[in-house]
Amino acid sequence: MFNKRTLAVLKREIKALILNKTFIVMTILFPIIFLSGFGVTALMQSMEGVEDTRIVIVEESPFINVELKRIFDTLDVVKNGELSLKYKSLSRSQLDDFLAQNKNKLLKDSITGVVFVPDQARVKKEIEYYSTNPANFSINNQIRSVVNNALIKLRFEGTNVAAEDVRYARQRTSVGRFKIDEKEEIEEEGSGGIVLAYVFTFLLYMSVFFNGMQLMRAVTEEKNTRVVEVLLSSLSTRELMAGKILGTTISGLVQMLIWLTPAAIFAFLQSTSFSGVFSQALAEFDLNLGLGQLLYFLLNFIIGLVSYLAIFGAFGAMFDNEQEAQQGILPILMLVLIPFFIAISMVINPSSSLAEISSMLPFASIIVMPARMALVNVPAWQVVLALAVNVGLLITVIRISAKVYGVSILRTGKKITLPELFKLLRYQS
Amino acid sequence: MNALEVHNLSKRFATVQAVDNVSFDIPEGVVFGLLGRNGAGKTTTIRMMMGIYPPDAGEVKLRGVHVGQEFKDAVGYLPEERGLYKKMKVLDTLLFFAELKGMKAPQVKSRALEYLERFQLLDRKDSKIQDLSKGNQQKIQFISTILHDPEFVILDEPFSGLDPVNTNLIKDMILELKRQGKVIIFSTHLMDFADRMCDHICLIHEGKALLNGALAEIKKEYSNLNVSVQYEGDISFLQNNPIVDRIEDFGNSTGIRVKEERGIQQLLRLLVDNEIVVRKFDAHTISLHEIFLAVAGDDSTEMRNEEVPNV
């Protein structure tokens, strides 16, 4: 099947794919856009700060304002004037009047918000916040922590509980996460595994989806422009399909390697002493990307991509034009989407039996297993089984796809129906 | 030995028997015409010869051996529905199709440039196909068919959709290829072209081969009862005359088929008696068109209305 004709098709395919605007945009710009998307979200969150914020703090009866003012006045945001505060004592009915009178100011944002500390807060630790944007994360956080500190101070002041004990009670317990694996030493783990699982899942999904659609479009276009008949006067349908799939696989692999380069550099920096400067920042995101894991990822990727491409290619051969193909593609996309969602949901609980089983099922394994490997230690037999399942899938899919492609590619006009297709396939074999 | 032999090819699509037990031989060095109306089964026959469709039954032999990849390598094929990669550049396109035939790019590059020059497209060698006019795209497709110097050239309806200039260009190329000793096989529903260009023909009708062999011999066989007449006057009185089998009236020239040999003399007398001015009375000649009608029946009168480009 692989000969100089297949090679000619493969070369043409790579040239058409890689020297193409879509490829450059997808490969270079997509990660940038994707990352800057994250960046913008983070920036928005940080900007949603306490800048130019005017808060009125209302206590139901005088008990806490003095203490609140004392704590607030120590804060930088208050010292540099970003957060300005006024303190009042009002009963609940007076508060309602106050809110009614100042509604305009609140709407125009000349008062950012009103915090009401009822007397009950001493018992229930419940306060109220009135604002046009009551969900503002930074303001909520700032106020909550100050009010909490004040309430604790007031409660324990004058009791025989030592200040040290109060501090101890206030402190949160922090959990250090240590991952047990075959390695000698037990390492402290950050959020790197989760990041890596997401990265693997997204990259696999993007690549399969993007390259699959590209191949489908290319096959439909060949059929639509009738180039395919000229091609088939020179080579067989199998040679043609092999050339197209391998060409797209190589271009997909180039793309994947470009995508993986930043992660690999990141992992390398972490593994060298050079990272001293960064180590503090990097430790939390230790990707823990081992060579074996990377190799499994790439091998799994190649097998998976070829399998999916065979399906997308055969599917494209069934349609005369792109519009028709895109209308019918949902069932095929499900084969990519369902594993994608399993992999994403798995991050919450990687040891669930759904994760374990689906990481060894045909199709699902391709996207789920690499993510699972990033999160937990997968027993070796499961990795081997997943590989075997993938190879089995590859062989089956290629056999069926080659037949579907062969019987569909020269059919024009009436769309081929599933029963017809099965009949033709039986007839062919 | 024949260059190609087609034995008992059959192909069925769902409810339609597209090709039904078709056989013919193609000798070395001839221009071979596969003739028939649209939908007769010509394209399906060609596709089976090329191995694009597997036949239900029958086989094709290249110099006595079952055809395989070596035949595909030796053929240049121009399908009826032409197609090129729209975004590929002209020279890249030509080199790609030659590479599929087993040629190496440097081998064919100079040939490709020669052809481009000859077809006045050298300055477009780096243009994308989609930027060429339809006529120029057809030229590129034709060059890609013959660039690898094939022994066999198979052209499916080569003249359909061509303007008069390109029609002439392709006709000249066919004749040149013939002089080089190539075997040219073309299908057409235009009998005038076939009449002027073919040495051998096979006439397909509703999937069956009704006639095949050397055109000269077929004509000899069919012309015994035929008369070609050029005249002035009204010959409608012949329509229901018992000696006449069939009339193909083109206005002032007519092909008349009589029922028996002696009818020819009776016909001449009839014309003179009815004061028709006879300019030419040529017994024993027949056009391919008339043969086609005689063989494929009356329902093919629409053939005459087909647009016949100037050759």
Side-chain angles (χ1 to χ4, degrees):
Chain A
M1 199 192 292
F2 196 84
N3 53 36
K4 57 183 191 290
R5 289 180 293 277
T6 312
L7 196 68
V9 174
L10 185 154
K11 270 173 17 197
R12 198 207 78 84
E13 210 63 28
I14 293 177
K15 220 168 147 187
L17 283 171
I18 293 189
L19 300 179
N20 183 307
K21 273 189 222 114
T22 323
F23 180 86
I24 296 168
V25 168
M26 274 304 285
T27 310
I28 317 268
L29 290 186
F30 174 75
I32 296 174
I33 294 166
F34 195 73
L35 286 176
S36 52
F38 273 126
V40 167
T41 317
L43 192 69
M44 297 272 280
Q45 275 175 356
S46 71
M47 273 172 54
E48 193 193 45
V50 289
E51 209 170 284
D52 198 20
T53 302
R54 282 175 290 275
I55 301 284
V56 179
I57 294 183
V58 178
E59 52 182 352
E60 194 173 6
S61 60
F63 75 99
I64 198 169
N65 274 2
V66 178
E67 182 59 26
L68 287 178
K69 187 169 181 346
R70 193 188 65 74
I71 303 174
F72 270 122
D73 286 349
T74 61
L75 297 181
D76 286 345
V77 279
V78 176
K79 280 185 198 155
N80 63 26
E82 280 176 8
L83 174 63
S84 64
L85 298 143
K86 280 185 183 158
Y87 303 90
K88 282 184 185 303
S89 283
L90 299 171
S91 72
R92 189 168 276 281
S93 59
Q94 286 171 318
L95 171 76
D96 292 341
D97 293 341
F98 177 80
L99 288 174
Q101 281 160 22
N102 290 289
K103 189 164 184 183
N104 262 335
K105 287 189 181 170
L106 279 159
L107 288 177
K108 281 189 210 139
D109 223 25
S110 60
I111 297 177
T112 314
V114 175
V115 177
F116 182 61
V117 189
D119 292 343
Q120 278 294 306
R122 269 183 285 197
V123 186
K124 287 185 170 169
K125 277 192 164 182
E126 281 172 5
I127 61 169
E128 291 156 25
Y129 179 57
Y130 298 84
S131 170
T132 51
N133 178 17
N136 185 306
F137 184 74
S138 322
I139 297 177
N140 266 313
N141 238 7
Q142 192 80 256
I143 291 165
R144 183 174 46 213
S145 111
V146 172
V147 172
N148 195 43
N149 283 349
L151 286 172
I152 289 169
K153 173 128 193 266
L154 291 176
R155 185 167 181 110
F156 291 100
E157 212 170 40
T159 63
N160 52 5
V161 180
E164 202 175 303
D165 292 338
V166 173
R167 227 181 355 260
Y168 172 78
R170 271 209 323 238
Q171 207 167 36
R172 281 203 279 174
T173 305
S174 104
V175 181
R177 283 166 288 185
F178 293 89
K179 187 173 169 179
I180 301 286
D181 54 24
E182 263 98 65
K183 277 182 260 175
E184 288 272 314
E185 70 263 54
I186 293 173
E187 288 171 356
E188 183 161 11
E189 192 195 41
S191 318
I194 294 173
V195 172
L196 193 64
Y198 274 127
V199 168
F200 277 176
T201 306
F202 270 103
L203 290 187
L204 284 171
Y205 169 74
M206 287 304 307
S207 178
V208 165
F209 185 81
F210 172 69
N211 289 296
M213 292 300 275
Q214 286 265 66
L215 180 68
M216 186 198 82
R217 231 174 274 141
V219 169
T220 314
E221 195 205 333
E222 267 173 14
K223 190 175 174 177
N224 185 258
T225 58
R226 313 301 299 149
V227 178
V228 70
E229 196 173 345
V230 188
L231 296 175
L232 293 182
S233 72
S234 303
L235 38 58
S236 70
T237 50
R238 276 161 186 272
E239 289 166 339
L240 175 59
M241 198 184 170
K244 291 193 81 70
I245 290 177
L246 290 176
T248 312
T249 304
I250 290 173
S251 120
L253 189 61
V254 169
Q255 188 176 51
M256 182 57 82
L257 291 176
I258 294 173
W259 282 346
L260 279 179
T261 310
I265 291 173
F266 198 73
F268 173 76
L269 281 181
Q270 284 171 334
S271 68
T272 55
S273 51
F274 169 73
S275 66
V277 200
F278 305 102
S279 58
Q280 286 291 312
L282 294 184
E284 178 61 14
F285 293 105
D286 187 354
L287 293 184
N288 225 333
L289 179 60
L291 189 63
Q293 205 178 356
L294 192 63
L295 286 180
Y296 179 82
F297 176 80
L298 286 176
L299 184 64
N300 168 79
F301 167 65
I302 293 168
I303 295 174
L305 186 59
V306 174
S307 309
Y308 275 113
L309 287 179
I311 293 175
F312 275 93
F315 182 78
M318 290 162 63
F319 296 90
D320 283 355
N321 63 62
E322 208 185 310
Q323 283 80 6
E324 273 180 35
Q326 275 173 352
Q327 277 163 18
I329 202 167
L330 197 65
I332 307 288
L333 286 188
M334 283 298 159
L335 290 177
V336 193
L337 277 172
I338 293 172
F340 173 72
F341 285 123
I342 293 176
I344 290 293
S345 66
M346 189 182 62
V347 171
I348 299 162
N349 184 6
S351 0
S352 73
S353 49
L354 172 72
E356 191 167 341
I357 293 168
S358 64
S359 72
M360 288 171 284
L361 286 182
F363 293 109
S365 165
I366 292 161
I367 295 178
V368 176
M369 186 55 105
R372 196 171 154 234
M373 283 172 78
L375 293 165
V376 294
N377 272 299
V378 181
W381 70 267
Q382 292 191 355
V383 177
V384 174
L385 178 62
L387 260 186
V389 166
N390 288 348
V391 172
L393 174 75
L394 177 76
I395 294 168
T396 318
V397 157
I398 286 203
R399 279 199 180 153
I400 296 175
S401 294
K403 279 187 191 166
V404 174
Y405 184 83
V407 297
S408 320
I409 194 69
L410 279 169
R411 273 180 67 112
T412 50
K414 202 164 75 66
K415 212 171 73 190
I416 201 162
T417 61
L418 271 185
E420 265 181 321
L421 189 64
F422 286 126
K423 224 172 86 190
L424 277 169
L425 290 180
R426 262 212 313 276
Y427 167 77
Q428 285 276 309
S429 50
Chain B
M1 188 187 281
N2 289 314
L4 267 183
E5 288 170 14
V6 170
H7 294 298
N8 312 98
L9 281 185
S10 290
K11 181 84 186 173
R12 189 176 186 83
F13 294 114
T15 55
V16 186
Q17 187 69 44
V19 175
D20 189 1
N21 202 27
V22 165
S23 300
F24 52 83
D25 298 335
I26 303 174
E28 301 281 357
V30 300
V31 175
F32 183 89
L34 200 55
L35 314 177
R37 301 173 59 191
N38 292 327
K42 303 184 298 283
T43 298
T44 307
T45 304
I46 287 177
R47 285 179 176 175
M48 284 191 284
M49 288 167 68
M50 296 293 313
I52 294 174
Y53 283 155
D56 294 347
E59 67 168 341
V60 181
K61 284 185 167 176
L62 168 66
R63 300 196 177 99
V65 184
H66 189 81
V67 291
Q69 185 62 44
E70 70 283 7
F71 179 59
K72 284 193 169 189
D73 287 343
V75 172
Y77 174 52
L78 181 74
E80 180 179 4
E81 289 180 89
R82 325 266 150 82
L84 297 166
Y85 290 106
K86 292 197 171 72
K87 295 198 167 142
M88 220 168 159
K89 289 176 182 170
V90 168
L91 188 59
D92 289 347
T93 301
L94 293 177
L95 297 183
F96 169 65
F97 283 117
E99 211 177 328
L100 285 181
K101 295 292 188 185
M103 310 289 281
K104 292 209 169 65
Q107 272 176 288
V108 277
K109 193 170 174 186
S110 58
R111 259 173 77 83
L113 293 174
E114 268 169 45
Y115 272 116
L116 284 175
E117 187 161 19
R118 186 161 157 195
F119 283 67
Q120 291 166 347
L121 283 169
L122 192 56
D123 55 329
R124 305 305 300 271
K125 70 181 163 62
D126 292 320
S127 301
K128 283 185 179 169
I129 296 290
Q130 63 187 5
D131 298 332
L132 299 184
S133 68
K134 201 174 167 221
N136 282 342
Q137 290 185 17
Q138 287 169 339
K139 286 184 193 170
I140 298 299
Q141 183 113 43
F142 190 70
I143 298 174
S144 77
T145 307
I146 56 174
L147 183 59
H148 60 288
D149 195 22
E151 268 184 90
F152 296 84
V153 180
I154 299 185
L155 312 164
D156 194 2
E157 297 283 358
F159 303 108
S160 78
L162 294 190
D163 62 27
V165 178
N166 275 352
T167 303
N168 249 334
L169 209 61
I170 293 207
K171 191 198 70 183
D172 291 346
M173 285 304 301
I174 291 178
L175 295 177
E176 188 183 317
L177 290 166
K178 187 191 174 183
R179 276 197 296 277
Q180 291 169 12
K182 317 281 187 199
V183 177
I184 294 129
I185 300 158
F186 76 91
S187 82
T188 186
H189 61 275
L190 303 172
M191 296 301 147
D192 282 2
F193 276 107
D195 210 347
R196 278 177 263 177
M197 297 184 69
C198 293
D199 307 310
H200 271 62
I201 62 154
C202 174
L203 203 157
I204 297 186
H205 187 63
E206 289 170 355
K208 292 189 171 70
L210 297 185
L211 266 184
N212 81 78
L215 184 58
E217 275 165 40
I218 291 172
K219 280 197 168 185
K220 206 151 93 194
E221 190 183 320
Y222 274 79
S223 63
N224 277 341
L225 299 175
N226 250 67
V227 183
S228 168
V229 184
Q230 271 184 28
Y231 65 92
E232 278 171 32
D234 181 8
I235 58 159
S236 55
F237 62 88
L238 286 176
Q239 285 295 351
N240 294 312
N241 195 293
I243 63 163
V244 174
D245 184 28
R246 169 198 290 277
I247 296 182
E248 273 306 310
D249 195 348
F250 292 99
N252 57 3
S253 85
T254 296
I256 299 172
R257 186 169 178 85
V258 292
K259 284 180 178 159
E260 297 170 85
E261 185 101 44
R262 62 194 167 94
I264 291 175
Q265 297 309 314
Q266 290 171 349
L267 175 67
L268 182 58
R269 195 173 307 126
L270 258 175
L271 290 170
V272 174
D273 288 353
N274 282 277
E275 297 184 349
I276 301 294
V277 182
V278 177
R279 301 226 177 273
K280 189 175 162 195
F281 189 92
D282 200 349
H284 307 306
T285 61
I286 189 167
S287 70
L288 191 49
H289 185 83
E290 286 170 279
I291 296 177
F292 179 82
L293 292 182
V295 174
D298 281 328
D299 59 344
S300 18
T301 41
E302 66 175 71
M303 300 274 316
R304 248 175 29 202
N305 300 328
E306 297 270 2
E307 187 191 339
V308 179
N310 184 20
V311 178

